[in-house]
Amino acid sequence: MPSLPPKGSKKKPAIKSSKGPKRPKWSPLGKGPSFASSLLTTVITFLLLMSLYSLVTDLTKKNEIVPLSTVAADMSAGKISTITVKGDSLDLEYADGTLKTSRKDPSAGLPETLATYGVTPEELSKASITIKGQSALEFWFLTLAPILLPLLFIGFLFWFLSRQVKGAGMQALSFGQSKARVIDPADVSQRVTFADVAGAREAKEELLEIVDFLKNPKKFLDIGARIPKGILLMGAPGTGKTLLARAVAGEAGVPFFTISGSEFVEMFVGVGASRVRDLFQMAKKAAPAIIFVDEIDAVGRARGTGMGGGNDEREQTLNQILVEMDGFEPNEKVVVMAATNRPDVLDPALLRPGRFDRRVTIDLPDRRDREEILKIHARKKPLGPDVQLSVIAERTPGFSGAELYSLMNEGAILAAREDRKEVTQYDLIRSIEKVMLGPERKSHLLGKREKELTAYHEAGHALVSSVLEHADPVHKISIISRGHAAGYTLKLPFDDKKMQSKKQFLDDIAATLGGYVAEETLFDDVTTGPSNDLQVITALARDMVVRYGMSDKLGPIAFGERELGHEPYSEKVAAEIDAEVSRIIDEAKKRAEQVLEDYRGALDAIAKELMEKETLEREEFEKVLIASGITPKKKEEDEN
């Protein structure tokens, strides 16, 4: 199945396509600066400017101001070398380089003023006197600045605040605009191609037609063919639906508009429909392009359920999507792709021809696909010489592409935590269990009785699974706490299963009850340990009766799920279903009791080994089975 793209670098924000329409650069409502924060910013700016002004003023007024009598005395003593007259201001430079400032009478000249203090013309001639007139611009600036500067600042303050209020209004207007993120085809860092997608061979073949249409639409239009307007990607979570959609855009080299179904829906009716119109308008202007709606079941659920009424925002949004998709022209070259893991809840109008008329199912990867996915995720990881990805692929049946990515990442983290430069096979084996069950809880130490009880519990699972013909073989047993489990038994099939038979279900239920039966038989008591086992077998037995028609009494009938306001069957049938579920579980329990009674020696031997070693790998476990007279299960090719 498809794997996720390598995540060696941080995700960068999507850039707008150069072909797309120009959009206003305001932020969505609720994300712009508030009025209070804008006012606070303005006040802080004002205080900083005032502080800067005061600092500059202090620096410019560094000259000492002396009275005119002191100037006359210094002049008579010959201490002053230069006098610069600026109106009624005197700048004095002394013989020792000191600078001082004084003021004179504006109505009298400098000689007359100094003569009043007894300075003779001879003493005055010893200093160099320069007279500088004040320009008209300087005069008016100094005169009007104290009045104009406060007025200008107040005007700027009002302009700035009004601009913020206007921005908030524009943000309110942008409420109905699309929040789609656009990935530019020229952005190499975010480009994904089919080379980055392992497995999903049939899905890629289906999508290659879309790539060909986007690259060369004339070939299809000339022969009268119309490419499907909508492609619905269906599959379990983590199988790579979004990755495949991005790969189509990357192969075709077209803008990729991506949005989640939940981003259309708001509390106000009509906002989602407005965003749908805006999204399609953007895509049409940037055509050829791809619109990708992730988790479309958020807005595409079947209508007419009575929830929300006729003015329901979700239904209005769905109606707008239907209208936009049905209004395309053949030459618009806009393809809509959507992904969901709940295709059963979608509205039939979405799936009719002309809308999402092509449905691509993406299954969980098989063994070969898992190995290819692991190779992709191992590109930037230094692997040790002992690493065999084929073995890891065999031990991970049912893993999705996302889980395989997590497995490789956890392996690298384990190696880095232990200060090693390479990822080993042991790291990857440990990562399988960490992804499946959670991290080891080394601090959770079991007491002697709890350890013995857990050992017999897991031994009961392993023994019943090994004896029953259609149960999966055991690969590992451990009584080390991991996640919420006090211990675990790892059962994996030799080959991937596409279908499950009734006999396999019955043996799996019996094997799952092996731990419960071992506790009940040997300790004459039952703990909370098997609680998850009981939930699993109850759900499985009910599915056998309700979904798969594997009940001998009720026959091959598929009953719907009972929901609020929806009763697919009567109370009498419900009672019969409950009785059948109880019968299946009771019979499986008796089979597990018989196995543990017949092979009590093997049960004790397995439990003893577990209490000593805490963990048994497949080879060690099979040695115990052989010593107890039980033949371990082998692959068909190994038997031949």
Side-chain angles (χ1 to χ4, degrees):
M1 277 308 109
S3 63
L4 297 178
K7 297 186 178 179
S9 60
K10 293 184 178 180
K11 185 178 180 182
K12 300 181 180 178
I15 62 173
K16 290 185 179 293
S17 171
S18 58
K19 300 180 182 179
K22 299 293 184 181
R23 304 302 303 274
K25 294 185 178 180
W26 55 70
S27 61
L29 183 66
K31 296 185 179 180
S34 63
F35 180 83
S37 63
S38 301
L39 181 60
L40 180 62
T41 303
T42 305
V43 172
I44 293 175
T45 305
F46 173 72
L47 294 177
L48 291 175
L49 290 175
M50 291 297 295
S51 302
L52 181 62
Y53 175 77
S54 300
L55 179 62
V56 173
T57 303
D58 292 340
L59 292 176
T60 56
K61 294 182 179 180
K62 61 183 179 180
N63 295 348
E64 180 184 356
I65 301 176
V66 296
L68 199 57
S69 59
T70 304
V71 176
D74 293 341
M75 195 73 185
S76 300
K79 296 180 180 180
I80 300 175
S81 61
T82 303
I83 300 177
T84 301
V85 181
K86 296 180 180 178
D88 59 348
S89 177
L90 302 177
D91 292 338
L92 309 172
E93 182 178 354
Y94 284 71
D96 59 358
T98 305
L99 299 177
K100 297 182 180 181
T101 302
S102 184
R103 301 186 75 85
K104 69 177 185 63
D105 185 3
S107 61
L110 179 62
E112 290 81 2
T113 302
L114 294 178
T116 305
Y117 288 92
V119 179
T120 64
E122 290 78 10
E123 294 172 342
L124 187 62
S125 63
K126 293 179 181 179
S128 174
I129 300 176
T130 303
I131 300 175
K132 291 185 177 180
Q134 189 178 34
S135 65
L137 179 63
E138 185 179 359
F139 171 77
W140 286 109
F141 177 78
L142 293 176
T143 303
L144 298 177
I147 302 173
L148 293 179
L149 286 179
L151 293 177
L152 289 174
F153 176 76
I154 293 173
F156 170 77
L157 177 62
F158 275 102
W159 171 83
F160 182 76
L161 295 178
S162 64
R163 182 173 178 270
Q164 295 300 314
V165 173
K166 181 180 179 181
M170 296 301 289
Q171 291 168 12
L173 293 177
S174 68
F175 196 54
Q177 292 185 342
S178 171
K179 296 182 179 181
R181 295 161 296 281
V182 187
I183 298 179
D184 195 301
D187 187 1
V188 180
S189 62
Q190 297 194 77
R191 185 179 181 184
V192 177
T193 64
F194 284 147
D196 302 310
V197 184
R201 291 176 292 275
E202 295 80 6
K204 286 192 284 189
E205 289 176 2
E206 288 281 326
L207 297 175
L208 278 174
E209 293 182 6
I210 309 301
V211 175
D212 195 13
F213 170 77
L214 292 170
K215 285 184 175 180
N216 186 19
K218 189 174 182 298
K219 178 177 69 173
F220 292 87
L221 299 176
D222 288 347
I223 201 171
R226 295 184 61 181
I227 204 69
K229 296 177 182 179
I231 295 93
L232 183 64
L233 304 176
M234 304 180 299
T239 49
K241 300 181 290 294
T242 303
L243 184 66
L244 269 175
R246 290 184 60 184
V248 173
E251 291 285 344
V254 299
F256 184 73
F257 295 81
T258 175
I259 189 171
S260 172
S262 60
E263 293 183 64
F264 288 118
V265 181
E266 296 284 354
M267 64 179 294
F268 303 109
V269 174
V271 173
S274 176
R275 289 178 178 174
V276 170
R277 287 191 296 268
D278 188 60
L279 172 61
F280 278 83
Q281 184 181 8
M282 291 169 56
K284 290 175 184 178
K285 291 180 179 179
I290 291 177
I291 295 175
F292 177 67
V293 184
D294 198 9
E295 303 297 342
I296 194 173
D297 50 276
V299 293
R301 285 177 174 264
R303 295 167 293 180
T305 58
M307 302 297 291
N311 215 25
D312 181 26
E313 163 67 356
R314 183 182 55 79
E315 290 197 7
Q316 298 295 331
T317 305
L318 174 58
N319 292 338
Q320 189 62 44
I321 292 176
L322 299 177
V323 170
E324 291 290 344
M325 292 190 68
D326 209 25
F328 280 168
E329 295 297 330
N331 58 355
E332 284 184 336
K333 297 177 291 186
V334 176
V335 176
V336 184
M337 303 184 72
T340 180
N341 50 26
R342 292 291 309 277
D344 54 303
V345 303
L346 294 181
D347 193 277
L350 271 177
L351 306 178
R352 75 155 176 83
R355 291 186 180 128
F356 287 107
D357 47 6
R358 176 166 295 189
R359 292 175 285 280
V360 179
T361 301
I362 306 173
D363 296 319
L364 291 171
D366 57 21
R367 187 195 59 77
R368 185 176 65 175
D369 291 341
R370 291 196 297 273
E371 185 175 353
E372 293 177 2
I373 294 172
L374 290 170
K375 289 179 180 178
I376 288 179
H377 294 315
R379 287 175 180 173
K380 296 184 179 180
K381 296 178 177 62
L383 302 181
D386 63 332
V387 171
Q388 296 181 6
L389 295 180
S390 59
V391 175
I392 304 301
E394 289 179 357
R395 299 192 67 165
T396 52
F399 272 47
S400 65
E403 290 172 322
L404 293 172
Y405 162 77
S406 180
L407 185 154
M408 294 298 296
N409 188 58
E410 290 293 343
I413 291 174
L414 288 172
R417 186 184 299 168
E418 298 173 3
D419 296 326
R420 288 183 280 106
K421 300 298 183 182
E422 290 183 336
V423 181
T424 64
Q425 184 80 350
Y426 180 58
D427 295 326
L428 299 181
I429 294 295
R430 288 187 293 170
S431 298
I432 296 175
E433 299 164 10
K434 188 173 183 180
V435 172
M436 292 178 64
L437 304 169
E440 287 187 1
R441 294 190 296 165
K442 296 182 180 179
S443 60
H444 184 69
L445 300 178
L446 298 176
K448 182 178 180 181
R449 176 173 174 79
E450 283 188 339
K451 188 174 183 179
E452 182 183 11
L453 190 146
T454 303
Y456 271 98
H457 180 102
E458 300 303 331
H461 284 310
L463 180 59
V464 176
S465 184
S466 299
V467 172
L468 297 181
E469 179 183 358
H470 302 287
D472 292 331
V474 176
H475 285 253
K476 185 176 183 178
I477 319 172
S478 177
I479 58 173
I480 299 176
S481 298
R482 185 178 284 274
H484 294 289
Y488 60 94
T489 300
L490 187 62
K491 299 180 294 179
L492 299 172
F494 290 122
D495 299 308
D496 293 329
K497 298 178 181 178
K498 301 299 182 183
M499 294 183 294
Q500 291 278 108
S501 67
K502 180 179 178 180
K503 292 181 179 180
Q504 290 172 339
F505 280 143
L506 294 175
D507 284 1
D508 285 341
I509 293 175
T512 307
L513 280 170
Y516 178 91
V517 173
E519 290 185 19
E520 187 181 46
T521 303
L522 299 177
F523 298 93
D524 195 24
D525 196 6
V526 177
T527 67
T528 59
S531 60
N532 184 67
D533 296 337
L534 300 180
Q535 294 175 15
V536 170
I537 63 170
T538 303
L540 180 55
R542 181 168 293 276
D543 284 342
M544 290 177 61
V545 176
V546 174
R547 296 179 59 188
Y548 307 131
M550 294 181 178
S551 168
D552 296 332
K553 182 177 181 180
L554 296 177
I557 301 175
F559 300 94
E561 295 291 335
R562 302 189 77 179
E563 299 177 357
L564 181 62
H566 178 64
E567 300 289 338
Y569 45 83
S570 64
E571 292 295 332
K572 180 181 178 182
V573 174
E576 292 178 351
I577 291 174
D578 292 340
E580 274 296 280
V581 171
S582 298
R583 182 188 64 80
I584 292 174
I585 294 177
D586 288 342
E587 290 183 358
K589 181 172 178 286
K590 292 177 181 178
R591 296 177 65 202
E593 291 173 347
Q594 187 64 46
V595 170
L596 296 184
E597 181 181 347
D598 293 342
Y599 297 94
R600 173 63 187 273
L603 179 66
D604 293 334
I606 297 170
K608 182 180 178 181
E609 285 289 314
L610 274 177
M611 285 186 286
E612 291 179 359
K613 300 180 179 180
E614 293 189 337
T615 299
L616 292 179
E617 294 290 345
R618 177 183 169 188
E619 293 77 9
E620 299 172 302
F621 173 67
E622 289 182 349
K623 290 180 181 178
V624 178
L625 291 180
I626 294 173
S628 302
I630 302 173
T631 303
K633 297 178 181 179
K634 300 291 183 181
K635 285 185 179 181
E636 293 183 2
E637 54 266 28
D638 295 341
E639 295 175 355
N640 296 333

